[in-house]
Amino acid sequence: MTPGNKTNVVHCKKFALVVPTLNEAENIVTVLDRAREALSQLPLPWEILVVDDDSKDGTQEIVRRCSETHPGIRLVQRLAQKGLAGAITYGWKHTDADILGVMDADLQHPPELLPELVNRVCQGSDIAIASRYLHAGSMEGWSLPRRLISRLSTLASKPVQRSGLRVRDPMSGFFVLRRECIEGIQFQSEGFKLLLEILAKGQIRSVAEIPFKFGTRSGGQSKANGMTAVYYFSLLCRLSRAAILGRGNRARPGANGSVAMVRAQEVVNEQPSSETDQRSHEHTDNSRQSD
């Protein structure tokens, strides 16, 4: 969709937001309504791709009805596949947008922040991250164990982050970036922490972090479980090994799992592959910042 000119966007042609879903029928209408309202502030074309991993609660039917009323919404289905990171990159492959984003469907990420994230990228940042760790009180309502786990996971990521480009919240699942920064790079399909892998392997030169208050899930169930930690530490091991060996584990453009664009379709059915508020600060490759 192409709304009116309300923000000063430079060097941007189109924005695509991926919203991964798995049994999010209770939240998806509210998420899409709020996201559409927020994106209407942008002066560039945009679309929302709901990438659904074969939900059984009617999520797909709800999104189809929304897409009939709002042409800026598309449903992309994955069959017999699971994995948040894989759903995100799969959605990115099915759009021709040059600016890409991701946001959860559980209302913990405020869609109202999307124009700010997109604007920061269009003004020159390679990636704009919604961060939970810039302002005190951003995670009110979290239990102490959950806070500790989150902090320890962030600390564990520091060795694999580039020293001149470390961010406060490399675990965030709410961010916007330029496609050119990740074109042709292969990412893991399992797990939840795609941003950390992008920061370690992507052609990222500048980062903007924007504070936000992490919301509480209003419906449905969290998809995090014991395997979340397994996938995360597996990712840390692979990124650490790549850093030691000095390799980025890059794939050919268009290889399975990479973010080469394929022709977009209204609904995509794919069988499993054989292979498995304001910006507080910015980082650049030339800066040396410690948290």
Side-chain angles (χ1 to χ4, degrees), residues 96-131:
D96 60 354
D98 59 327
I99 307 299
L100 308 171
V102 60
M103 181 183 73
D104 286 351
D106 56 11
L107 295 173
Q108 294 182 315
H109 297 156
E112 292 73 21
L113 193 62
L114 284 167
E116 176 74 0
L117 293 169
V118 174
N119 203 33
R120 291 304 168 94
V121 170
C122 292
Q123 289 176 347
S125 296
D126 288 326
I127 187 169
I129 302 168
S131 175

Side-chain angles (χ1 to χ4, degrees), residues 35-147:
R36 286 191 306 104
E37 179 67 24
L39 294 177
S40 68
Q41 301 176 41
L42 297 175
L44 71 161
W46 54 265
E47 64 177 341
I48 302 171
L49 287 79
V50 178
V51 180
D52 187 79
D53 280 359
D54 203 16
S55 293
K56 305 302 183 184
D57 68 343
T59 299
Q60 296 175 16
E61 290 73 18
I62 294 171
V63 176
R64 284 194 187 97
R65 290 198 298 269
C66 290
S67 67
E68 292 172 359
T69 307
H70 306 289
I73 296 173
R74 291 200 288 124
L75 172 65
V76 180
Q77 296 175 259
R78 298 200 310 163
L79 302 179
Q81 297 186 78
K82 294 293 184 289
L84 180 64
I88 296 167
T89 56
Y90 187 76
W92 288 346
K93 287 191 292 184
H94 287 86
T95 177
D96 60 354
D98 59 327
I99 307 299
L100 308 171
V102 60
M103 181 183 73
D104 286 351
D106 56 11
L107 295 173
Q108 294 182 315
H109 297 156
E112 292 73 21
L113 193 62
L114 284 167
E116 176 74 0
L117 293 169
V118 174
N119 203 33
R120 291 304 168 94
V121 170
C122 292
Q123 289 176 347
S125 296
D126 288 326
I127 187 169
I129 302 168
S131 175
R132 300 163 293 178
Y133 298 132
L134 293 179
H135 286 178
S138 294
M139 294 180 289
E140 290 179 357
W142 281 32
S143 65
L144 180 59
R146 187 178 181 186
R147 289 173 184 265

